[in-house]
Amino acid sequence: MNQIEQNCSYCNSFSTTKIDSYKFIWKICSNCGCAESYKKESYPLDFMKYPLSKYLEKKSWKQTRDRLLKNDVVDEDNSKIYDYFTNENHIKLSKEDALEFNQNVLEKYSIDINNKKILDISGGNGHFIKYFQDKYNCDCTLTEYNKNALEYASSTLNIKTQYYDFTKHKFTDFFDNNQFDVIFIRASIMFMDDLSTVLEDLSTVLKDDGIIIINYSVTPTLGTILRTQFDEYNYKHLYSKTFIVETLERYGFNSIGLSRNYDFSMYINSLDSFPMERIITRWYELKALKNKFIYQNEFTARDRRRYDMVFRKKDSSKINNTKYFNTINFIDSLSDSLNEDFFMILDRLCKKIDVVNEIYIEYLEDLSKRTTLNTLPLEYKLKLVRMLFTLGKKHEDWKFINSALKLSAFFPKEKKEIEKYIKDKNIVK
Amino acid sequence: MLNKVLPFILLASDNYATLTYLEYLKKEGFYFKKIIYVNKSNQVSIFKKNENKDLVNRLQDNFSLRINYDIDFIDYSEYSSDIETVKVNSDYDDNLLKVVKKYSSEVFFFSYRGRVPRPFLDVARFIHIHPGIMPNIRGSDGLFWSLLERGKAGATMFFLDEGIDDGEIIFQSEYLINDIQIDLNKYTTSEIYRGILNYFDPYIRAKVFVEAIKQKNDLLQTLNSYEKVEGRQFFTMHTLLLEKVIKTYFGEINE
């Protein structure tokens, strides 16, 4: 594992903290509410690979052993952990999921999929989408990462399938533009590395007015972090609902439904039935709770909570002409000579520094509202500090100097320079 | 000595500004026609007893009035014969809105909390005094920004509008600060800052209020030249800049 950067991978904010767990470190961000996992190179019992663990063969220890030790299978091909998709139990669960989804999402939000073309991303063994293919006469395509499941769906259920790896492929590599009416992203958004790129890609293969349904988007909670800490292969990204909604809105979608549900089978206390896991879980739980940061947002929840979200793609011909303000472009265009328009914009950016305590990359044109959770990169914050200070000195503008000083917290050299200026300056009028 | 009933209903909570207004006006012989005291459930006293007496005295040296802030709650009966208490659970709940609606034909003098929400502004007019010359100095830490930007402590009496320190101006005035000398080594910046906000800033505002009463025939008449100008909104001053202002205007430079 490389050194974990302080800034958030999703929004650039430095308001992050790291939460330790048995096999993973999580970096959670209070600005965008997202969390990212980093697998540890080593953890307490990782030296005890399976050959050494024969001493733990007693039945009562077996399950704990399998979870606490290192599983080399995942290192070879992590898609193999999903081989259970074709187990009898999982097939039963997939069929039940389809019934629940029909009632809790399609019927709830009045989504008509009769005779529609549907893409089911990471559709597993195919029984889920088969239900809708039969019930609503849909034209369904399934993508999947696990080859066993893919083969099963294709040969046993006669469903159109496509092997798909989020880390390697693009949907536009396999599908035509404006091809699908509805796209299901079920329990898989947590593995999408670059949400913006994936959404842009999906938006291309989705028809205008088409629907994207994100089902089971797991949100960052302490319960999830602890409950998954023994897994060899874990969620990579836990996106907050705000982040997902704002990202989709940026790519031309309107949110038409959002609901939260809980997965009680993943409640943290279910680990208590295994003594060793109970001790380890309590240890990491206490460590996490000592960090005040965790008390923000929903992080302290002990359950695994997740969101269902429904979005409709705007008709590209009807997308409004909302104008945006791009902070990076503005900073790049700044010069020492300050015209009135620039002055007004800088004055408004001071409010972001002073009140919001953060500057975002994009706002509505009048800077009244941010349109993204992506914060300004550090190098641009530095440019802004320098510009505010230069203009503040030139025009004896204390508001600019005040904001430059506040923003200079990350830049010791500039901070020192501003402090010296204030100290030496005679302010008597 | 004048003895005049002001044409306003005071909308008040227990705070330093309310007590200062009431004491200052009483000394000058002015009274509100009515006081509506907003009592929040589980309210505790905000007055800090036995707070740095010397600092409080120094800050009040500029004024010919010493106020006793060593109290738990304000006894409003000393300042008006018509007092109505409104119990609220949150700052601007329906109970308060009902009372304001009942007196919607009156003008309220605002010495309460936070920003007045739109539904309240829709049913009545509120006058407020902001520590700064509007529209140039709007927003937080008005007194300190006034000193830094204009070298004077100023305040503006105006009709509240929805924006921050925004509305038609009735009266404004500003003053030089010459005679305050605080031993800066004796107190922390935070103590001095809080002291100025609690024991000095309200005096400036009360002084402007009394000046307006004395100078204006019609207290509801706004300045003719009023034109909606955005001006500049200031925000919390950085501690380092704050120290500089305090040192310059309240500290050793005057010694």
Side-chain angles (χ1 to χ4, degrees):
Chain A
M1 183 177 66
N2 297 325
Q3 190 172 354
I4 302 171
E5 304 263 340
Q6 175 70 31
N7 60 320
C8 172
S9 310
Y10 313 108
C11 72
N12 283 322
S13 168
F14 279 71
S15 310
T16 63
T17 198
K18 295 176 192 81
I19 300 295
D20 193 17
S21 71
Y22 186 71
K23 291 183 186 174
F24 296 87
I25 289 174
W26 285 86
K27 181 166 72 175
I28 54 179
C29 173
S30 68
N31 177 54
C32 65
C34 301
E36 184 176 17
S37 73
Y38 297 84
K39 182 122 187 241
K40 289 179 176 177
E41 277 170 5
S42 63
Y43 40 87
L45 297 177
D46 65 345
F47 63 93
M48 280 181 83
K49 307 233 169 131
Y50 285 106
L52 290 172
S53 64
K54 60 185 176 183
Y55 304 107
L56 298 174
E57 279 298 334
K58 275 168 75 178
K59 198 179 172 191
S60 60
W61 280 93
K62 194 168 184 304
Q63 185 160 359
T64 297
R65 180 209 72 181
D66 286 354
R67 293 166 65 77
L68 297 186
L69 307 189
K70 189 165 174 61
N71 184 345
D72 286 338
V73 175
V74 174
D75 288 343
E76 291 159 19
D77 177 1
N78 56 27
S79 79
K80 285 186 179 172
I81 62 158
Y82 297 117
D83 279 350
Y84 70 89
F85 279 177
T86 50
N87 292 348
E88 200 178 324
N89 269 350
H90 194 77
I91 288 171
K92 186 169 165 257
L93 279 176
S94 300
K95 289 176 180 174
E96 287 169 4
D97 264 359
L99 294 172
E100 269 184 35
F101 183 85
N102 192 42
Q103 187 183 335
N104 297 340
V105 181
L106 298 185
E107 286 179 6
K108 183 175 178 179
Y109 297 112
S110 307
I111 299 162
D112 175 17
I113 59 166
N114 272 298
N115 304 309
K116 296 283 170 71
K117 283 194 82 167
I118 295 181
L119 175 64
D120 185 19
I121 296 168
S122 297
N125 54 41
H127 279 282
F128 177 90
I129 200 66
K130 173 85 169 125
Y131 171 82
F132 298 100
Q133 185 165 284
D134 295 346
K135 186 175 171 75
Y136 296 108
N137 194 32
C138 306
D139 176 359
C140 299
T141 306
L142 170 152
T143 70
E144 180 48 53
Y145 180 46
N146 178 271
K147 288 171 184 161
N148 276 354
L150 204 67
E151 170 61 23
Y152 176 89
S154 170
S155 59
T156 314
L157 303 178
N158 199 25
I159 289 173
K160 282 188 269 181
T161 57
Q162 175 61 53
Y163 173 70
Y164 193 90
D165 179 347
F166 285 130
T167 61
K168 291 178 188 155
H169 300 134
K170 284 180 78 178
F171 292 100
T172 40
D173 295 340
F174 307 112
F175 308 115
D176 295 336
N177 292 1
N178 303 310
Q179 187 177 339
F180 297 104
D181 297 293
V182 182
I183 295 174
F184 296 162
I185 305 174
R186 295 187 310 110
S188 53
I189 196 167
M190 297 78 76
F191 302 97
M192 294 177 173
D193 281 336
D194 182 351
L195 199 54
S196 298
T197 307
V198 177
L199 287 171
E200 198 173 6
D201 191 31
L202 281 175
S203 181
T204 310
V205 299
L206 185 68
K207 292 178 184 171
D208 280 353
D209 222 28
I211 301 272
I212 280 187
I213 301 174
I214 298 171
N215 180 222
Y216 294 161
S217 167
V218 180
T219 201
T221 63
L222 187 55
T224 299
I225 287 172
L226 294 172
R227 184 63 183 78
T228 57
Q229 65 181 328
F230 303 113
D231 298 349
E232 277 294 321
Y233 188 65
N234 198 355
Y235 303 130
K236 179 67 185 151
H237 315 278
L238 295 177
Y239 297 111
S240 68
K241 71 169 188 302
T242 314
F243 184 79
I244 294 173
V245 170
E246 294 205 355
T247 307
L248 270 117
E249 281 175 351
R250 280 176 63 75
Y251 284 94
F253 290 86
N254 284 327
S255 170
I256 56 171
L258 190 148
S259 59
R260 186 169 70 181
N261 55 65
Y262 303 89
D263 178 359
F264 292 106
S265 68
M266 287 281 276
Y267 193 75
I268 178 177
N269 289 344
S270 61
L271 292 172
D272 286 353
S273 52
F274 310 112
M276 186 56 112
E277 290 178 31
R278 187 192 310 164
I279 293 165
I280 294 171
T281 300
R282 290 291 167 266
W283 164 254
Y284 284 106
E285 184 181 26
L286 283 173
K287 263 183 88 171
L289 289 172
K290 275 168 84 176
N291 191 329
K292 284 182 185 161
F293 187 95
I294 199 98
Y295 293 96
Q296 298 181 35
N297 299 320
E298 295 178 284
F299 291 141
T300 42
R302 307 299 171 84
D303 47 46
R304 185 175 75 154
R305 54 186 61 186
R306 51 206 187 175
Y307 286 91
D308 292 338
M309 301 171 176
V310 184
F311 298 90
R312 188 184 296 281
K313 185 180 169 186
K314 291 177 194 165
D315 185 333
S316 48
S317 65
K318 289 182 191 160
I319 290 177
N320 64 24
N321 292 320
T322 309
K323 289 185 178 164
Y324 299 98
F325 169 83
N326 185 295
T327 317
I328 288 179
N329 292 347
F330 171 72
I331 292 171
D332 280 338
S333 69
L334 277 172
S335 66
D336 286 0
S337 55
L338 190 63
N339 70 35
E340 202 171 319
D341 287 346
F342 280 7
F343 174 85
M344 290 304 292
I345 294 169
L346 272 176
D347 200 68
R348 284 180 188 163
L349 283 177
C350 287
K351 185 174 181 179
K352 314 297 177 195
I353 298 167
D354 290 308
V355 180
V356 187
N357 217 5
E358 191 51 272
I359 305 172
Y360 294 90
I361 286 177
E362 193 183 81
Y363 297 92
L364 290 179
E365 194 183 27
D366 63 357
L367 275 91
S368 60
K369 195 182 167 203
R370 64 172 169 77
T371 53
T372 174
L373 277 161
N374 289 332
T375 61
L376 198 63
L378 216 52
E379 68 264 32
Y380 279 90
K381 282 184 177 158
L382 177 60
K383 281 185 185 181
L384 191 57
V385 167
R386 287 178 180 155
M387 186 52 69
L388 284 169
F389 184 45
T390 305
L391 293 169
K393 279 191 296 184
K394 190 172 171 183
H395 299 273
E396 209 169 296
D397 191 312
W398 287 105
K399 181 173 172 178
F400 284 179
I401 292 170
N402 188 53
S403 297
L405 183 58
K406 287 182 181 179
L407 193 60
S408 69
F410 289 115
F411 315 108
K413 187 176 152 237
E414 281 69 21
K415 186 168 188 273
K416 215 170 166 182
E417 203 183 328
I418 301 170
E419 285 174 352
K420 186 175 182 314
Y421 174 80
I422 293 172
K423 190 170 171 249
D424 296 344
K425 182 79 180 167
N426 178 4
I427 61 165
V428 175
K429 295 280 174 187
Chain B
M1 170 86 65
L2 293 163
N3 201 344
K4 187 178 169 187
V5 176
L6 302 170
F8 307 128
I9 295 176
L10 174 68
L11 181 70
S13 59
D14 284 343
N15 60 52
Y16 288 92
T18 300
L19 183 58
T20 312
Y21 284 135
L22 289 169
E23 281 287 314
Y24 211 119
L25 291 168
K26 184 180 165 190
K27 176 185 164 270
E28 298 287 335
F30 301 119
Y31 299 90
F32 287 102
K33 65 190 289 187
K34 181 181 180 70
I35 295 175
I36 293 178
Y37 166 56
V38 189
N39 182 241
K40 205 169 176 178
S41 48
N42 304 321
Q43 187 170 300
V44 292
S45 174
I46 61 121
F47 297 106
K48 300 212 175 351
K49 288 186 178 178
N50 305 316
E51 192 165 45
N52 301 311
K53 295 276 183 206
D54 182 48
L55 176 63
V56 176
N57 285 336
R58 287 286 175 128
L59 288 166
Q60 294 186 12
D61 277 348
N62 250 16
F63 307 93
S64 57
L65 169 69
R66 291 222 181 270
I67 298 172
N68 175 24
Y69 292 97
D70 284 355
I71 58 169
D72 287 321
F73 297 101
I74 298 171
D75 178 3
Y76 291 92
S77 65
E78 285 185 32
Y79 309 102
S80 177
S81 53
D82 186 358
I83 298 153
E84 186 171 340
T85 302
V86 191
K87 297 248 179 221
V88 295
N89 294 316
S90 58
D91 285 355
Y92 289 96
D93 70 6
D94 284 347
N95 290 345
L96 185 56
L97 186 58
K98 267 184 210 160
V99 175
V100 169
K101 270 183 184 165
K102 192 164 83 179
Y103 300 104
S104 60
S105 59
E106 306 281 351
V107 175
F108 289 84
F109 184 85
F110 181 84
S111 184
Y112 184 49
R113 302 185 185 95
R115 280 174 73 183
V116 183
R118 187 77 251 175
F120 286 75
L121 295 171
D122 285 342
V123 295
R125 299 179 85 192
F126 296 85
I127 286 176
H128 179 52
I129 298 179
H130 163 71
I133 295 294
M134 285 164 49
N136 307 62
I137 308 283
R138 297 164 47 224
S140 314
D141 285 342
L143 175 71
F144 300 99
W145 283 110
S146 295
L147 292 169
L148 184 60
E149 290 281 315
R150 302 170 69 90
K152 292 172 185 170
T156 303
M157 186 173 173
F158 68 107
F159 281 107
L160 275 176
D161 212 334
E162 205 169 15
I164 290 173
D165 302 322
D166 179 28
E168 290 184 72
I169 293 167
I170 297 166
F171 185 81
Q172 53 189 186
S173 191
E174 52 191 344
Y175 316 97
L176 286 168
I177 299 177
N178 296 319
D179 306 323
I180 300 176
Q181 292 176 23
I182 297 171
D183 182 352
L184 299 177
N185 295 321
K186 205 170 161 186
Y187 311 102
T188 64
T189 305
S190 161
E191 282 173 331
I192 300 172
Y193 174 71
R194 206 175 55 242
I196 292 169
L197 283 189
N198 289 343
Y199 308 108
F200 184 80
D201 171 297
Y203 271 81
I204 298 287
R205 294 200 255 169
K207 192 176 162 75
V208 165
F209 195 0
V210 168
E211 250 186 65
I213 296 166
K214 287 180 176 173
Q215 288 184 27
K216 286 180 75 90
N217 292 327
D218 180 0
L219 266 176
L220 302 180
Q221 178 71 49
T222 55
L223 298 182
N224 291 335
S225 59
Y226 178 74
E227 189 185 327
K228 199 159 171 126
V229 183
E230 196 173 335
R232 265 189 122 181
Q233 191 185 341
F234 290 87
F235 308 103
T236 319
M237 195 176 273
H238 190 282
T239 317
L240 198 80
L241 213 45
L242 204 58
E243 279 170 4
K244 181 83 179 183
V245 174
I246 288 172
K247 191 174 170 185
T248 306
Y249 289 98
F250 296 89
E252 60 199 22
I253 201 161
N254 291 320
E255 287 168 3

